[in-house]
Amino acid sequence: MVNQTSPARSPQALDELIAGGIGDSPPRPDGTLKVRGEYAYSSDLWAEDMLWGATLRSPHPYARIRSVDIGPALRHPGVYAVLTHEDIPGENIYGLKVADTPVLAADVVRYKGEPVALVAADHPETARRAMEKIVVGYEVLEPVTDPERAAHDDTLPKLHPDGNVVRYQPIIRGNPDAEADVVVSDVYTMGMQDQAFLGPESGLAVPAEDGGVDLYLATQWLHVDQRQTARALGLPLEKVRFTMSGVGGAFGGREDLSMQIHCCMLALRTGRPVKMVYNREESFYGHVHRHPAKMYYEHGATKDGRLVYVKARMYFDGGAYASKTPVVVSNATSLGVGPYRVPNAKIEGWGLYTNNPPCGAMRGLGAVQPAFAYELQMDKLAKALDMDPVTVRQINAIEEGATMPTGQVLDYPAPVAELLERLRAIPLPLENRTEPLDVRDMPGGISNTTHGEGVVRGIGYSVIIKNISYAEGADDYSTARVRLEAIGGQPVAMVHTAAAEVGQGLVTVQQQIARTELGVERVNIHPNDTNVGDAGSSSASRQTYITGGAVRNACEAVRDALFARVAERFGEDPADLSLAGGKVVSATTGVLADLVDVLGDEAIEETREYHHRETYAMDPVTGQSPRVHVQHAFAAHRAVVDVDRDLGLVKVVQLDCAQDVGKAVNPDAVVGQIHGGSTQGLGLAVMEEIQVKDGRIRNASFTDYLIPTIMDTPPMKVDVIERADPNAPYGVRGVGEPPTISATPAIVNAIRDATGLNLTHTPVSPEHIVAD
């Protein structure tokens, strides 16, 4: 295995479009099955002689466990096992960044829904009824629910041995006390958003003859799940084997463990396959959510609109356990001034423990919250200066060579001003003010709530910055194994990685890279499992960059081995050879041979890794670092909204986006990602919020937690530009997260423009609009 980091370069035949290769938009191999409803997801798994698992969860946000009586549950007919923390064979602790989360609570529960005991039975209803017979004695405690108080109030209970602060990170640049001609400030808040994936947490664990276990599941990171599970089971890694099943969405919510250890424990105890599937309410308690935030921002500028300083204090509610809270604080502070040149800055971020539901990864990790604040601030600054909001953004926009508040110098394109100009050039929709008026186009119009009276229109802009891939010194890499062989008279490539296909289209991208690099039409994708090296998480918009780089490297190694064969047989210089259309081609003599003939009965298989450039941790006092992030992405949105001032209803009329993607490996998939991300950002702007009171979720269902439907999704015009990153494979730049980030503040700015209200919370609800 070779560790290799290569800059972008012109791969063989990339200068001309290969059918199904890079730059084309071949159909997804899983697409037809999914739209027909025939695709098998992890919740569809089945095994002979299978049992069903269930989880008993705490009814309290904070309590001591005084006793657990499993006797009544064990005596229930059809029950095969009831397990508590005493039955954990290995370590009763795990965690992505900080090992602080119990597999099963032992002496204290820190949030409502924390797992306490497990049941395996012959039917899911039997398991549920037996679970209800477990008697737990609790001493209820007063929960810690205010993250800002948790940061500063030493009189509050310490939820963990080191206190209630998961991470504090300041960034100091220049003179934060510099004076400015114009100063604007406000306090911004963001609610807790759910990933709202449709496929619930589920999996099937099968005990193995070697004393190990095979788990088939939906996840975002097979190897990190495997490592945490093996430690809890007290087993070596080779005896804990994970295989990816169909994933019904993720968006960060599957990075943390849910049922993995529990399902394996039950299978190993009973000696039978065990299946676990959460229902929707349990899913709300069984995975992390987006961090709610409270953010204090102050911007100072000159009279001509140039930023002088930015000051910010941000508090992120991490809930009961750390999960990705340290990374949220890192991203939020390092990106906290946005895509703008700011000579002086003081940015502070706190990630806190509370007894609220745990929060962790969600699309746009750590960048969504500050972007909402700094983009509303930029509109506020433009109003104070009596300037156009796009112009004030453009005159402060960063570009290649700019220095970030962390001290990192951008050594790749940063076309922020260009994105805004392209966005402004997209035609605006016509106002629906003609007679007869179509009320269906009005806010709430389908319900015939208005005929246009009280409806006002607004336009809002935003532009954001998002880091790509892991940061702060993490060795971010992926592994790919590529096999080339002759099957049935055709050259066939097989790509094997552990990279999770969670709906983003990675399975297609891997095929496109192999077609481009190996000049073959048929490319198969091996099922993802832990029998190949780690691919990292399908998060941080990193897989096309990192796993794409690994697939490229493995293909190059296969091609080099093939050319060595050809050189030996034909006496050609390998440097003059290329592959195209299933043939080996010489630059001097033309077609030499069919690829099938060169391969014969001998397959070529190579495994390679790709590591991105080194990054460095921020200084804990100043936040300075020569390279916090390996890459940044940029997106801009313009929202047009109609608002019914009397009822507080909002209709997003049009939501346009301009985004730099570096290189569009699959142009149709890129636009699809932008559409999807924009819609998720729309949800956060006007409807999506988990309501939490005293540590308890009040709307744990898709009846009460609202997400956008097709009726809420407006027309979207997308302008994709390609400014290649010279340090990335093929020049690619992460695509999936940026549009989620920029859509929300654009919509809220549009609502503010329409109403004249100083709205500072997202999502904006009708009562916010009609409150005055």
Side-chain angles (χ1 to χ4, degrees):
M1 194 172 293
V2 175
N3 295 339
Q4 183 177 354
T5 303
S6 301
R9 56 119 176 82
S10 297
Q12 144 168 333
L14 192 55
D15 55 341
E16 58 182 65
L17 185 64
I18 295 174
I22 292 173
D24 197 5
S25 296
R28 292 179 56 126
D30 55 352
T32 301
L33 291 173
K34 286 181 174 178
V35 298
R36 287 180 174 174
E38 299 170 355
Y39 187 79
Y41 292 95
S42 58
S43 55
D44 298 315
L45 292 165
W46 195 268
E48 192 70 28
D49 209 25
M50 182 179 75
L51 299 176
W52 293 81
T55 308
L56 177 70
R57 298 178 180 274
S58 165
H60 307 292
Y62 191 30
R64 290 191 182 92
I65 297 175
R66 294 304 188 189
S67 62
V68 180
D69 182 4
I70 64 173
L74 277 171
R75 291 190 291 272
H76 190 80
V79 171
Y80 284 77
V82 181
L83 306 181
T84 68
H85 72 94
E86 296 178 347
D87 301 297
I88 297 168
E91 302 175 11
N92 186 21
I93 196 165
Y94 68 92
L96 277 174
K97 305 298 290 186
V98 180
D100 64 353
T101 309
V103 175
L104 294 170
D107 53 1
V108 63
V109 290
R110 295 181 175 90
Y111 71 97
K112 184 182 187 304
E114 181 159 357
V116 175
L118 308 171
V119 175
D122 57 8
H123 190 276
E125 183 62 20
T126 303
R128 186 189 66 80
R129 292 183 179 182
M131 180 185 70
E132 293 174 348
K133 292 188 174 184
I134 300 172
V135 181
V136 183
Y138 293 102
E139 177 191 345
V140 178
L141 304 171
E142 184 70 22
V144 176
T145 58
D146 184 336
E148 188 172 2
R149 279 193 65 197
H152 304 298
D153 190 342
D154 293 334
T155 67
L156 291 176
K158 287 187 176 182
L159 301 181
H160 291 270
D162 293 332
N164 295 331
V165 178
V166 182
R167 180 177 182 178
Y168 166 69
Q169 178 65 57
I171 295 178
I172 310 296
R173 186 77 176 171
N175 176 20
D177 295 322
E179 294 185 357
D181 299 326
V182 178
V183 175
V184 295
S185 63
D186 220 320
V187 183
Y188 301 93
T189 55
M190 179 174 288
M192 184 183 294
Q193 186 182 19
D194 186 57
Q195 294 87 351
F197 43 73
L198 299 185
E201 294 84 350
S202 52
L204 176 69
V206 181
E209 292 182 358
D210 64 357
V213 63
D214 293 277
L215 181 65
Y216 304 86
L217 76 163
T219 182
Q220 289 180 242
W221 191 350
L222 283 167
H223 282 82
V224 79
D225 287 5
Q226 179 198 33
R227 291 191 288 270
Q228 294 177 94
T229 302
R231 283 194 294 269
L233 298 178
L235 291 173
L237 282 176
E238 61 269 17
K239 288 194 175 183
V240 180
R241 297 167 291 268
F242 281 21
T243 300
M244 186 73 69
S245 297
V247 181
F251 310 113
R254 299 188 198 271
E255 276 209 302
D256 290 81
L257 295 182
S258 56
M259 41 57 61
Q260 287 90 325
I261 300 173
H262 301 160
C263 201
C264 290
M265 284 175 59
L266 291 171
L268 290 170
R269 173 59 69 93
T270 62
R272 300 260 296 269
V274 174
K275 179 177 180 176
M276 297 187 79
V277 182
Y278 291 178
N279 62 31
R280 184 58 58 190
E281 181 180 6
E282 185 175 18
S283 179
F284 268 90
Y285 290 104
H287 68 258
V288 297
H289 312 285
R290 189 186 301 287
H291 290 69
K294 186 175 185 179
M295 299 165 286
Y296 297 81
Y297 263 80
E298 180 177 309
H299 283 60
T302 62
K303 291 179 181 179
D304 62 357
R306 298 189 183 277
L307 289 171
V308 175
Y309 71 83
V310 174
K311 297 178 184 178
R313 291 182 292 121
M314 297 179 278
Y315 298 91
F316 299 95
D317 186 351
Y321 298 104
S323 182
K324 297 296 281 289
T325 297
V327 183
V328 167
V329 173
S330 170
N331 290 353
T333 53
S334 62
L335 307 174
V337 305
Y340 303 113
R341 294 191 303 273
V342 180
N344 308 293
K346 183 177 182 180
I347 312 296
E348 297 176 279
W350 288 263
L352 290 315
Y353 287 122
T354 67
N355 294 119
N356 293 322
C359 291
M362 186 173 173
R363 194 176 194 171
L365 179 75
V368 171
Q369 296 91 336
F372 172 69
Y374 66 65
E375 281 304 275
L376 267 62
Q377 281 283 98
M378 293 302 285
D379 261 32
K380 194 167 190 173
L381 180 61
K383 186 175 182 180
L385 292 164
D386 194 24
M387 291 181 65
D388 175 71
V390 173
T391 301
V392 78
R393 287 173 168 85
Q394 288 179 316
I395 64 176
N396 289 289
I398 57 174
E399 55 193 13
E400 187 170 3
T403 301
M404 302 294 289
T406 59
Q408 178 173 350
V409 177
L410 301 185
D411 58 353
Y412 37 76
V416 177
E418 180 186 0
L419 291 175
L420 287 164
E421 197 59 41
R422 284 172 170 266
L423 190 62
R424 185 154 53 178
I426 296 175
L428 287 164
L430 297 175
E431 288 203 46
N432 186 359
R433 296 291 184 267
T434 60
E435 297 290 345
L437 189 70
D438 190 341
V439 297
R440 293 174 300 177
D441 293 332
M442 292 287 101
I446 291 177
S447 300
N448 199 27
T449 59
T450 181
H451 286 245
E453 61 278 8
V455 174
V456 289
R457 175 158 289 188
I459 300 173
Y461 286 86
S462 73
V463 62
I464 62 87
I465 182 172
K466 173 64 173 72
N467 66 296
I468 302 301
S469 298
Y470 306 152
E472 284 206 274
D475 182 15
D476 191 1
Y477 75 97
S478 183
T479 314
R481 181 178 300 144
V482 174
R483 181 181 179 88
L484 184 63
E485 60 188 324
I487 301 177
Q490 296 183 65
V492 178
M494 172 73 79
V495 178
H496 186 185
T497 75
E501 169 59 65
V502 295
Q504 80 276 41
L506 180 65
V507 62
T508 315
V509 165
Q510 292 177 86
Q511 290 179 315
Q512 291 179 260
I513 292 172
R515 290 191 188 107
T516 297
E517 297 291 347
L518 297 177
V520 298
E521 179 181 350
R522 185 174 166 189
V523 179
N524 297 330
I525 302 298
H526 191 285
N528 308 122
D529 56 35
T530 51
N531 291 321
V532 68
D534 199 345
S537 175
S538 286
S539 61
S541 303
R542 61 179 287 279
Q543 286 292 12
T544 296
Y545 187 146
I546 308 300
T547 293
V551 173
R552 182 201 66 182
N553 288 354
C555 286
E556 287 178 344
V558 167
R559 196 173 66 226
D560 290 346
L562 180 76
F563 288 168
R565 283 191 195 180
V566 174
E568 183 178 352
R569 184 181 304 182
F570 294 96
E572 293 280 342
D573 183 350
D576 293 335
L577 300 178
S578 62
L579 298 174
K583 299 181 185 300
V584 181
V585 181
S586 166
T588 55
T589 60
V591 175
L592 291 176
D594 287 339
L595 190 51
V596 169
D597 295 332
V598 176
L599 289 167
D601 296 328
E602 267 189 86
I604 299 174
E605 182 176 286
E606 298 288 348
T607 302
R608 292 292 185 272
E609 292 178 352
Y610 177 86
H611 295 243
H612 71 47
R613 294 186 297 165
E614 189 173 4
T615 57
Y616 307 92
M618 287 188 284
D619 183 277
V621 176
T622 66
Q624 297 303 293
S625 167
R627 188 186 299 125
V628 182
H629 303 294
V630 70
Q631 187 187 76
H632 294 86
F634 307 95
H637 264 92
R638 183 186 64 198
V640 180
V641 303
D642 283 340
V643 182
D644 187 330
R645 285 297 309 269
D646 298 327
L647 298 178
L649 300 178
V650 176
K651 180 181 178 65
V652 182
V653 177
Q654 190 162 305
L655 188 58
D656 302 324
C657 180
Q659 183 168 335
D660 174 24
V661 303
K663 171 64 181 178
V665 175
N666 186 312
D668 286 354
V670 163
V671 173
Q673 283 288 298
I674 294 172
H675 284 166
S678 300
T679 304
Q680 204 158 30
L682 181 156
L684 180 58
V686 295
M687 63 182 74
E688 291 191 47
E689 183 173 8
I690 296 177
Q691 301 289 338
V692 179
K693 184 174 177 58
D694 299 326
R696 302 172 186 272
I697 297 177
R698 304 176 67 187
N699 57 335
S701 73
F702 283 165
T703 299
D704 300 309
Y705 181 89
L706 303 180
I707 58 176
T709 69
I710 191 66
M711 300 303 297
D712 303 298
T713 306
M716 300 179 189
K717 297 178 181 178
V718 176
D719 188 350
V720 173
I721 69 172
E722 298 176 276
R723 303 290 179 264
D725 180 349
N727 309 291
Y730 309 117
V732 299
R733 202 186 293 269
V735 173
E737 293 178 289
T740 301
I741 305 166
S742 51
T744 302
I747 293 169
V748 178
N749 274 334
I751 299 171
R752 287 159 57 110
D753 178 58
T755 63
L757 297 173
N758 184 35
L759 302 168
T760 58
H761 177 80
T762 195
V764 177
S765 65
E767 51 265 35
H768 295 147
I769 296 172
V770 300
D772 63 340

mmCIF file of all heavy atoms in Angstrom, residues 109 139 155 191 210 219 232 242 310 325 330 333 388 453 461 509-510 578 660 664 674 684 712 715 723-724 737:
data_model
loop_
_atom_site.group_PDB
_atom_site.id
_atom_site.type_symbol
_atom_site.label_atom_id
_atom_site.label_comp_id
_atom_site.label_asym_id
_atom_site.label_seq_id
_atom_site.Cartn_x
_atom_site.Cartn_y
_atom_site.Cartn_z
ATOM 1 N N VAL A 109 -28.105 9.119 33.986
ATOM 2 C CA VAL A 109 -28.544 9.415 32.619
ATOM 3 C C VAL A 109 -28.462 10.923 32.432
ATOM 4 O O VAL A 109 -28.810 11.696 33.338
ATOM 5 C CB VAL A 109 -29.973 8.914 32.332
ATOM 6 C CG1 VAL A 109 -29.999 7.400 32.279
ATOM 7 C CG2 VAL A 109 -30.972 9.437 33.352
ATOM 8 N N GLU A 139 -33.418 8.716 40.596
ATOM 9 C CA GLU A 139 -33.442 9.916 41.419
ATOM 10 C C GLU A 139 -33.327 11.095 40.467
ATOM 11 O O GLU A 139 -32.251 11.364 39.911
ATOM 12 C CB GLU A 139 -32.284 9.928 42.420
ATOM 13 C CG GLU A 139 -32.229 11.199 43.254
ATOM 14 C CD GLU A 139 -30.946 11.311 44.051
ATOM 15 O OE1 GLU A 139 -30.219 10.301 44.183
ATOM 16 O OE2 GLU A 139 -30.636 12.424 44.526
ATOM 17 N N THR A 155 -21.722 27.487 39.424
ATOM 18 C CA THR A 155 -22.627 26.900 40.412
ATOM 19 C C THR A 155 -23.467 25.767 39.827
ATOM 20 O O THR A 155 -24.099 25.021 40.570
ATOM 21 C CB THR A 155 -23.574 27.968 40.982
ATOM 22 O OG1 THR A 155 -24.464 28.430 39.954
ATOM 23 C CG2 THR A 155 -22.785 29.136 41.540
ATOM 24 N N GLY A 191 -32.250 27.578 15.991
ATOM 25 C CA GLY A 191 -32.849 26.435 16.655
ATOM 26 C C GLY A 191 -32.166 25.130 16.289
ATOM 27 O O GLY A 191 -31.261 25.077 15.452
ATOM 28 N N ASP A 210 -16.435 -17.902 14.398
ATOM 29 C CA ASP A 210 -15.141 -17.618 15.028
ATOM 30 C C ASP A 210 -15.282 -16.824 16.324
ATOM 31 O O ASP A 210 -14.295 -16.344 16.891
ATOM 32 C CB ASP A 210 -14.223 -16.864 14.054
ATOM 33 C CG ASP A 210 -14.754 -15.482 13.676
ATOM 34 O OD1 ASP A 210 -15.868 -15.120 14.113
ATOM 35 O OD2 ASP A 210 -14.047 -14.756 12.945
ATOM 36 N N THR A 219 -24.699 3.438 7.626
ATOM 37 C CA THR A 219 -23.843 4.329 8.394
ATOM 38 C C THR A 219 -23.134 5.282 7.448
ATOM 39 O O THR A 219 -23.257 5.168 6.222
ATOM 40 C CB THR A 219 -22.810 3.527 9.222
ATOM 41 O OG1 THR A 219 -22.009 4.444 9.996
ATOM 42 C CG2 THR A 219 -21.882 2.727 8.316
ATOM 43 N N ALA A 232 -16.050 -1.962 22.615
ATOM 44 C CA ALA A 232 -17.149 -2.245 23.535
ATOM 45 C C ALA A 232 -17.406 -3.745 23.677
ATOM 46 O O ALA A 232 -17.796 -4.221 24.746
ATOM 47 C CB ALA A 232 -18.418 -1.542 23.062
ATOM 48 N N PHE A 242 -18.052 -5.248 9.361
ATOM 49 C CA PHE A 242 -19.188 -4.399 9.015
ATOM 50 C C PHE A 242 -19.348 -4.343 7.500
ATOM 51 O O PHE A 242 -18.367 -4.222 6.762
ATOM 52 C CB PHE A 242 -18.987 -2.977 9.548
ATOM 53 C CG PHE A 242 -19.282 -2.823 11.019
ATOM 54 C CD1 PHE A 242 -19.271 -3.902 11.880
ATOM 55 C CD2 PHE A 242 -19.575 -1.580 11.539
ATOM 56 C CE1 PHE A 242 -19.531 -3.752 13.230
ATOM 57 C CE2 PHE A 242 -19.847 -1.403 12.882
ATOM 58 C CZ PHE A 242 -19.828 -2.497 13.730
ATOM 59 N N VAL A 310 -14.354 42.622 13.162
ATOM 60 C CA VAL A 310 -15.497 41.785 13.518
ATOM 61 C C VAL A 310 -15.221 41.200 14.899
ATOM 62 O O VAL A 310 -14.131 40.682 15.155
ATOM 63 C CB VAL A 310 -15.728 40.639 12.511
ATOM 64 C CG1 VAL A 310 -16.847 39.719 13.008
ATOM 65 C CG2 VAL A 310 -16.077 41.187 11.136
ATOM 66 N N THR A 325 -18.904 18.210 18.663
ATOM 67 C CA THR A 325 -18.868 19.571 19.189
ATOM 68 C C THR A 325 -17.495 20.226 19.056
ATOM 69 O O THR A 325 -17.405 21.412 18.675
ATOM 70 C CB THR A 325 -19.348 19.605 20.648
ATOM 71 O OG1 THR A 325 -20.721 19.187 20.695
ATOM 72 C CG2 THR A 325 -19.238 21.004 21.246
ATOM 73 N N SER A 330 -14.419 24.532 16.121
ATOM 74 C CA SER A 330 -13.300 24.825 15.219
ATOM 75 C C SER A 330 -13.779 25.476 13.930
ATOM 76 O O SER A 330 -13.273 26.519 13.508
ATOM 77 C CB SER A 330 -12.543 23.531 14.896
ATOM 78 O OG SER A 330 -11.600 23.733 13.868
ATOM 79 N N THR A 333 -15.484 29.087 14.502
ATOM 80 C CA THR A 333 -14.569 30.195 14.787
ATOM 81 C C THR A 333 -13.672 30.500 13.590
ATOM 82 O O THR A 333 -13.482 31.664 13.228
ATOM 83 C CB THR A 333 -13.724 29.892 16.029
ATOM 84 O OG1 THR A 333 -13.085 28.616 15.886
ATOM 85 C CG2 THR A 333 -14.578 29.888 17.280
ATOM 86 N N ASP A 388 -25.933 49.241 -1.390
ATOM 87 C CA ASP A 388 -26.513 48.019 -1.935
ATOM 88 C C ASP A 388 -25.900 46.812 -1.207
ATOM 89 O O ASP A 388 -24.668 46.745 -1.041
ATOM 90 C CB ASP A 388 -26.221 47.930 -3.436
ATOM 91 C CG ASP A 388 -26.687 46.629 -4.024
ATOM 92 O OD1 ASP A 388 -27.901 46.425 -4.141
ATOM 93 O OD2 ASP A 388 -25.809 45.787 -4.335
ATOM 94 N N GLU A 453 -54.023 40.589 -0.503
ATOM 95 C CA GLU A 453 -53.995 41.699 0.440
ATOM 96 C C GLU A 453 -52.963 41.403 1.551
ATOM 97 O O GLU A 453 -52.869 40.296 2.058
ATOM 98 C CB GLU A 453 -55.376 41.936 1.053
ATOM 99 C CG GLU A 453 -55.950 40.765 1.851
ATOM 100 C CD GLU A 453 -56.625 39.695 1.008
ATOM 101 O OE1 GLU A 453 -56.520 39.764 -0.234
ATOM 102 O OE2 GLU A 453 -57.250 38.800 1.595
ATOM 103 N N TYR A 461 -29.883 38.354 -0.250
ATOM 104 C CA TYR A 461 -28.665 37.731 -0.765
ATOM 105 C C TYR A 461 -27.850 37.148 0.390
ATOM 106 O O TYR A 461 -27.964 37.577 1.543
ATOM 107 C CB TYR A 461 -27.804 38.757 -1.499
ATOM 108 C CG TYR A 461 -28.315 39.170 -2.853
ATOM 109 C CD1 TYR A 461 -29.251 40.197 -2.979
ATOM 110 C CD2 TYR A 461 -27.868 38.538 -4.011
ATOM 111 C CE1 TYR A 461 -29.715 40.584 -4.224
ATOM 112 C CE2 TYR A 461 -28.331 38.924 -5.264
ATOM 113 C CZ TYR A 461 -29.254 39.936 -5.367
ATOM 114 O OH TYR A 461 -29.711 40.314 -6.599
ATOM 115 N N VAL A 509 -19.570 8.497 -9.189
ATOM 116 C CA VAL A 509 -18.292 9.198 -9.334
ATOM 117 C C VAL A 509 -17.140 8.205 -9.421
ATOM 118 O O VAL A 509 -16.221 8.362 -10.244
ATOM 119 C CB VAL A 509 -18.091 10.176 -8.159
ATOM 120 C CG1 VAL A 509 -16.641 10.642 -8.072
ATOM 121 C CG2 VAL A 509 -19.026 11.372 -8.308
ATOM 122 N N GLN A 510 -17.168 7.164 -8.601
ATOM 123 C CA GLN A 510 -16.099 6.167 -8.637
ATOM 124 C C GLN A 510 -16.055 5.469 -10.001
ATOM 125 O O GLN A 510 -14.976 5.215 -10.547
ATOM 126 C CB GLN A 510 -16.302 5.144 -7.522
ATOM 127 C CG GLN A 510 -16.112 5.720 -6.134
ATOM 128 C CD GLN A 510 -16.382 4.703 -5.048
ATOM 129 O OE1 GLN A 510 -15.507 3.927 -4.656
ATOM 130 N NE2 GLN A 510 -17.604 4.686 -4.560
ATOM 131 N N SER A 578 -1.365 4.784 -23.743
ATOM 132 C CA SER A 578 -2.621 5.253 -23.148
ATOM 133 C C SER A 578 -3.682 4.178 -23.356
ATOM 134 O O SER A 578 -3.487 3.216 -24.115
ATOM 135 C CB SER A 578 -3.065 6.579 -23.777
ATOM 136 O OG SER A 578 -3.313 6.407 -25.170
ATOM 137 N N ASP A 660 -19.091 27.728 -6.894
ATOM 138 C CA ASP A 660 -17.852 27.247 -7.507
ATOM 139 C C ASP A 660 -17.644 25.808 -7.058
ATOM 140 O O ASP A 660 -17.565 25.532 -5.866
ATOM 141 C CB ASP A 660 -16.682 28.119 -7.074
ATOM 142 C CG ASP A 660 -15.335 27.577 -7.556
ATOM 143 O OD1 ASP A 660 -15.320 26.845 -8.555
ATOM 144 O OD2 ASP A 660 -14.316 27.893 -6.920
ATOM 145 N N ALA A 664 -16.743 19.964 -12.166
ATOM 146 C CA ALA A 664 -18.001 19.219 -12.088
ATOM 147 C C ALA A 664 -17.769 17.814 -12.637
ATOM 148 O O ALA A 664 -17.846 17.588 -13.845
ATOM 149 C CB ALA A 664 -19.101 19.931 -12.864
ATOM 150 N N ILE A 674 -27.002 20.784 -5.285
ATOM 151 C CA ILE A 674 -27.311 22.182 -4.981
ATOM 152 C C ILE A 674 -28.805 22.359 -4.730
ATOM 153 O O ILE A 674 -29.212 23.073 -3.806
ATOM 154 C CB ILE A 674 -26.804 23.091 -6.113
ATOM 155 C CG1 ILE A 674 -25.263 23.052 -6.149
ATOM 156 C CG2 ILE A 674 -27.304 24.524 -5.940
ATOM 157 C CD1 ILE A 674 -24.650 23.756 -7.331
ATOM 158 N N LEU A 684 -34.583 25.130 7.248
ATOM 159 C CA LEU A 684 -34.063 25.787 8.437
ATOM 160 C C LEU A 684 -34.500 27.247 8.501
ATOM 161 O O LEU A 684 -34.656 27.814 9.590
ATOM 162 C CB LEU A 684 -32.530 25.699 8.449
ATOM 163 C CG LEU A 684 -31.814 26.349 9.637
ATOM 164 C CD1 LEU A 684 -32.278 25.757 10.962
ATOM 165 C CD2 LEU A 684 -30.306 26.193 9.495
ATOM 166 N N ASP A 712 -43.457 23.313 -1.159
ATOM 167 C CA ASP A 712 -42.703 24.415 -0.550
ATOM 168 C C ASP A 712 -41.449 24.766 -1.341
ATOM 169 O O ASP A 712 -40.829 25.801 -1.078
ATOM 170 C CB ASP A 712 -42.278 24.030 0.874
ATOM 171 C CG ASP A 712 -43.439 23.657 1.754
ATOM 172 O OD1 ASP A 712 -44.292 24.524 1.975
ATOM 173 O OD2 ASP A 712 -43.494 22.495 2.211
ATOM 174 N N PRO A 715 -38.855 27.302 -7.712
ATOM 175 C CA PRO A 715 -37.924 27.186 -8.842
ATOM 176 C C PRO A 715 -36.533 27.640 -8.412
ATOM 177 O O PRO A 715 -36.390 28.574 -7.612
ATOM 178 C CB PRO A 715 -38.518 28.129 -9.892
ATOM 179 C CG PRO A 715 -39.955 28.282 -9.505
ATOM 180 C CD PRO A 715 -40.000 28.172 -8.013
ATOM 181 N N ARG A 723 -13.657 26.731 -11.012
ATOM 182 C CA ARG A 723 -12.343 27.330 -10.795
ATOM 183 C C ARG A 723 -11.505 26.296 -10.052
ATOM 184 O O ARG A 723 -11.596 26.168 -8.830
ATOM 185 C CB ARG A 723 -12.456 28.626 -9.977
ATOM 186 C CG ARG A 723 -13.384 29.669 -10.601
ATOM 187 C CD ARG A 723 -12.786 30.273 -11.869
ATOM 188 N NE ARG A 723 -13.701 31.255 -12.464
ATOM 189 C CZ ARG A 723 -14.552 31.000 -13.436
ATOM 190 N NH1 ARG A 723 -14.614 29.768 -13.943
ATOM 191 N NH2 ARG A 723 -15.347 31.940 -13.916
ATOM 192 N N ALA A 724 -10.736 25.538 -10.785
ATOM 193 C CA ALA A 724 -10.081 24.345 -10.246
ATOM 194 C C ALA A 724 -9.134 24.668 -9.102
ATOM 195 O O ALA A 724 -8.364 25.644 -9.160
ATOM 196 C CB ALA A 724 -9.324 23.625 -11.355
ATOM 197 N N GLU A 737 -22.343 20.586 0.879
ATOM 198 C CA GLU A 737 -22.718 21.390 2.039
ATOM 199 C C GLU A 737 -22.957 22.873 1.754
ATOM 200 O O GLU A 737 -23.874 23.470 2.338
ATOM 201 C CB GLU A 737 -21.642 21.258 3.118
ATOM 202 C CG GLU A 737 -21.554 19.874 3.721
ATOM 203 C CD GLU A 737 -20.439 19.781 4.744
ATOM 204 O OE1 GLU A 737 -19.261 19.799 4.329
ATOM 205 O OE2 GLU A 737 -20.743 19.704 5.944
#
